[in-house]
């Protein structure tokens, strides 16, 4: 318990709340890195996910690739790319984008795919174009799952940027790595608490957003959520979940 | 390549360390998730609570959780137990939801039939519920296995040796080959574990093995009836 008191003492020490090494600055860096990762990864993964979900084609391949990416150790990928592309943000950023793509992709295609095919056929029957079906039917109904993908990717990015501070980079992970060689456990614990707080707040916000974007009258979302996460979770084994 | 050959002993030792750190969380997470998942299906309130706690635990990033462990359980910062317990928490957090859903997916009629033909609640769980929930359970376990093997390497930054050591050492020595060896080794372990899980699934659930691309409930039930 005393270590927690020391850690909170560290967090609320005014000296740790100003300057380039202060908590607001580190928190800002962490959120900026995370946001950057999500924007780039979403720009890549969401259109592909929509295409897969809408056409029903390429799903097997996407699941395979996502599964493969998942087995890559994140720390190794970050360090390898940092070494190959030079110290700086670019290497780790590419690694983080690669890591954030599978959950975003899975959320996007599972969301679109979760829409009842009869609903889609009905939309087609009343004369909607494929583009309209995607944007006016599939995306709004599938939005909770799409946001769910964003939520997983955000948590993944927050966690991995913490680890990536080893490179060395800014962000809250800095506190852990700076304190480790000094055996300064209060500061390590303080850093850990800050990252955990950030992750839980972001997770909570996304949970609220997910609830807000659920269209009224769409109750199946919850049921299909279970199946879709299982299905997207792993390739062949997941087919069994059907 | 020459580095790889010259350091085979080290790589093999780190591979064994990696495996030794990965197996307990996977096994413990799975074993603990079954009773908790079962309990979650008993009461509506319990389900909400258990799944929420699981979701929150799973949202906690790995490295901070490793760092948190000494303050929670009184271990030393560099103790491998921190990594094993933290990864068990993840495995459990991820698996509890799967277990609850998998057990809930078993047809109520089948359960009632088995009760009707004389299974006790205990027998029914092991002989009917668990095998029929096997497909989704295996799918969830495979995800847990892959993510655990990948996360073990993060422990290297808090001094818990695994193939992750090669990432840090390779970085410090500016030596990409060493990092690549670590990544490939970790992926191979993940693939081998996955293969073993699939194999165990085939052995324990022969009815899911061939032909049916989709898990057919009818087949499963009839296979179970023959087996039982």
């Amino acid at each position: 318990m005393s270590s927690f008191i020391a850690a909170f003492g560290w967090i609320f020490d005014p000296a740790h709340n100003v300057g380039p090494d202060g908590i607001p600055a580190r928190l800002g860096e962490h959120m900026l890195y995370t946001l950057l990762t999500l924007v780039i990864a979403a720009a890549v993964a969401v259109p592909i996910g929509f295409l897969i979900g809408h056409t029903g084609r390429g799903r097997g391949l996407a699941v395979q690739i996502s599964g493969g990416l998942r087995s890559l150790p994140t720390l190794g990928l970050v360090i390898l790319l940092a070494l190959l592309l030079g110290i700086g943000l670019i290497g780790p950023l590419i690694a983080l984008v690669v890591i954030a793509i599978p959950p975003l992709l899975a959320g996007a295609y599972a969301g679109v795919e979760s829409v009842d095919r009869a609903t889609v056929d009905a939309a087609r029957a009343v004369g909607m174009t494929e583009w309209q079906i995607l944007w006016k039917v599939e995306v709004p109904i599938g939005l909770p799952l799409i946001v769910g993908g964003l939520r997983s990717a955000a948590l993944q990015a927050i966690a991995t940027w913490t680890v990536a501070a080893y490179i060395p980079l800014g962000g809250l992970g800095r506190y852990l790595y700076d304190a480790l060689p000094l055996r300064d456990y209060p500061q390590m614990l303080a850093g850990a608490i800050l990252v955990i707080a950030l992750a839980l707040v972001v997770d909570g916000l996304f949970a609220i957003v997910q609830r807000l974007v659920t269209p009224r009258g769409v109750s199946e979302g919850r049921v299909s959520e279970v199946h879709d996460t299982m299905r997207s979770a792993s390739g062949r084994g997941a087919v069994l979940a059907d | 390549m020459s580095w790889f050959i010259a350091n085979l002993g080290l790589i093999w030792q780190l591979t064994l360390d990696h495996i030794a750190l990965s197996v307990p969380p996977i096994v413990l997470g799975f074993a603990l998730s079954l009773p908790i998942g079962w309990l979650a299906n008993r009461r509506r309130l319990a389900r909400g609570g258990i799944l929420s706690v699981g979701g929150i635990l799973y949202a906690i990033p790995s490295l901070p959780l490793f760092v948190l462990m000494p303050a929670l359980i009184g271990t030393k910062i560099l103790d491998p137990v921190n990594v094993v317990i933290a990864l068990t928490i993840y495995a459990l957090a991820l698996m509890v939801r799967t277990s609850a859903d998998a057990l809930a997916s078993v047809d109520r009629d089948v359960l009632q039939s088995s009760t009707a033909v004389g299974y006790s609640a205990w027998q029914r769980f092991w002989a009917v519920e668990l095998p029929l929930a096997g497909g989704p359970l295996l799918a969830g376990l495979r995800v847990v296995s892959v993510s655990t093997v990948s996360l073990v390497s993060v422990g290297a930054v808090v001094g818990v040796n695994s193939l992750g050591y090669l990432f840090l050492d390779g970085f410090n020595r500016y030596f990409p080959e060493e990092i690549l060896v670590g990544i490939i080794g970790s992926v191979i372990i993940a693939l081998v574990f996955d293969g073993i899980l699939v194999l165990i699934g085939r052995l324990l659930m022969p009815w899911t093995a061939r032909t049916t691309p989709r898990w057919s409930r009818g087949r499963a039930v009839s296979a179970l009836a023959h087996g039982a």
Side-chain angles (χ1 to χ4, degrees):
Chain A
M1 214 63 243
S2 61
S3 22
F4 280 107
I5 294 169
F8 279 106
W10 191 95
I11 292 174
F12 291 109
D13 183 343
H16 299 135
N17 283 289
V18 286
D21 198 30
I23 294 170
R26 292 294 182 214
L27 184 65
E29 285 169 341
H30 210 106
M31 294 200 295
L32 187 69
Y33 296 165
T34 301
L35 194 66
L36 208 56
T37 310
L38 290 182
V39 169
I40 300 173
V44 177
V46 171
I48 299 177
F50 283 174
L51 192 71
I52 293 170
H54 183 75
T55 61
R57 256 177 269 159
R59 201 177 146 268
L61 189 68
V63 171
Q64 293 277 326
I65 292 175
S66 299
L69 289 180
R70 238 181 271 262
S71 71
L72 287 176
T74 54
L75 177 67
L77 195 61
V78 168
I79 289 184
L80 183 67
L81 288 179
L83 207 56
L84 294 179
L85 297 173
I87 310 296
L89 207 56
I90 296 299
L93 183 60
I94 294 175
L96 265 286
V97 166
V98 168
I99 293 163
I101 283 178
L104 282 165
L105 190 64
Y109 73 63
V112 169
E113 215 178 48
S114 72
V115 180
D116 196 333
R117 286 303 105 185
T119 311
V120 175
D121 286 341
R124 207 166 275 138
V126 298
M128 282 190 171
T129 63
E130 295 303 305
W131 190 249
Q132 286 173 323
I133 292 174
L134 178 66
W135 288 105
K136 294 189 168 172
V137 180
E138 289 172 330
V139 170
I141 297 179
L143 208 51
L145 282 176
I146 299 167
V147 173
L150 203 58
R151 181 177 174 182
S152 309
L155 290 173
Q156 175 76 266
I158 290 172
T160 311
W161 279 117
T162 312
V163 178
Y166 186 84
I167 296 305
L169 289 169
L172 294 169
R174 209 50 285 122
Y175 295 135
L176 302 175
Y177 288 119
D178 289 346
L180 191 62
L182 307 172
R183 293 285 183 278
D184 179 358
Y185 190 61
Q187 184 184 327
M188 284 184 81
L189 191 58
I193 291 169
L194 289 169
V195 178
I196 291 171
L198 175 64
L200 292 183
V201 167
V202 168
D203 190 46
L205 287 177
F206 272 111
I208 295 170
V209 172
Q210 260 181 309
R211 203 153 290 180
L212 289 179
V213 299
T214 306
R216 264 179 297 166
V218 178
S219 52
E220 286 112 313
R222 282 167 181 271
V223 180
S224 62
E225 187 181 9
V226 171
H227 291 281
D228 285 319
T229 41
M230 279 189 162
R231 236 189 268 157
S232 58
S234 91
R236 278 166 305 143
V239 193
L240 301 174
D242 266 353
Chain B
M1 208 55 201
S2 56
W3 179 88
F4 175 71
I5 292 163
N7 290 281
L8 266 178
L10 171 73
I11 296 167
W12 179 241
Q13 185 52 50
L14 292 173
T15 304
L16 293 180
D17 291 342
H18 203 107
I19 293 171
L21 289 168
S22 310
V23 171
I26 298 171
V27 173
L28 284 174
F30 176 68
L32 293 173
S33 80
L34 285 174
I36 300 178
W38 183 84
L39 196 73
N41 287 332
R42 292 292 111 178
R43 301 230 184 287
R44 194 137 195 93
L45 205 66
R47 185 184 169 82
I50 288 170
L51 295 187
S52 307
V53 171
I56 289 171
L57 289 178
Y58 196 64
I60 295 176
S62 53
L63 178 56
L65 190 58
F66 296 163
V67 172
L68 204 59
M69 278 301 144
L72 291 178
I73 56 175
T75 42
K76 295 236 160 51
I77 297 177
L78 303 180
D79 197 330
V81 170
N82 298 330
V83 171
V84 171
I85 294 184
L87 292 181
T88 302
I89 292 175
Y90 281 130
L92 184 59
L94 193 66
M95 202 60 210
V96 145
R97 168 159 225 132
T98 310
S99 291
D101 290 339
L103 292 173
S105 75
V106 177
D107 200 329
R108 308 310 304 167
D109 291 345
V110 175
L111 294 183
Q112 292 191 339
S113 310
S114 50
T115 305
V117 297
Y119 281 95
S120 70
W122 182 251
Q123 285 173 323
R124 192 182 75 171
F125 178 79
W126 292 104
V128 183
E129 248 180 307
L130 195 58
L132 286 182
L137 283 177
L138 179 63
L141 190 56
R142 291 174 66 187
V143 176
V144 167
S145 162
V146 168
S147 87
T148 303
V149 170
S150 151
L151 279 175
V152 160
S153 53
V154 175
V157 303
V158 285
V160 178
N161 273 348
S162 64
L163 288 171
Y165 168 80
L166 299 179
F167 305 153
L168 308 186
D169 193 52
F171 182 71
N172 293 334
R173 295 172 17 174
Y174 235 78
F175 190 40
E177 183 183 333
E178 186 175 354
I179 302 171
L180 208 56
V181 167
I183 294 178
I184 294 171
S186 174
V187 170
I188 290 176
I189 295 176
L191 287 177
V192 169
F193 277 21
D194 197 55
I196 292 173
L197 288 177
V198 171
L199 202 67
I200 293 175
R202 295 247 165 105
L203 290 176
L204 293 180
M205 300 178 290
W207 60 91
T208 60
R210 350 155 241 116
T211 58
T212 42
R214 283 172 177 270
W215 189 57
S216 132
R217 186 167 279 160
R219 279 183 81 89
V221 173
S222 64
L224 182 80
H226 289 297

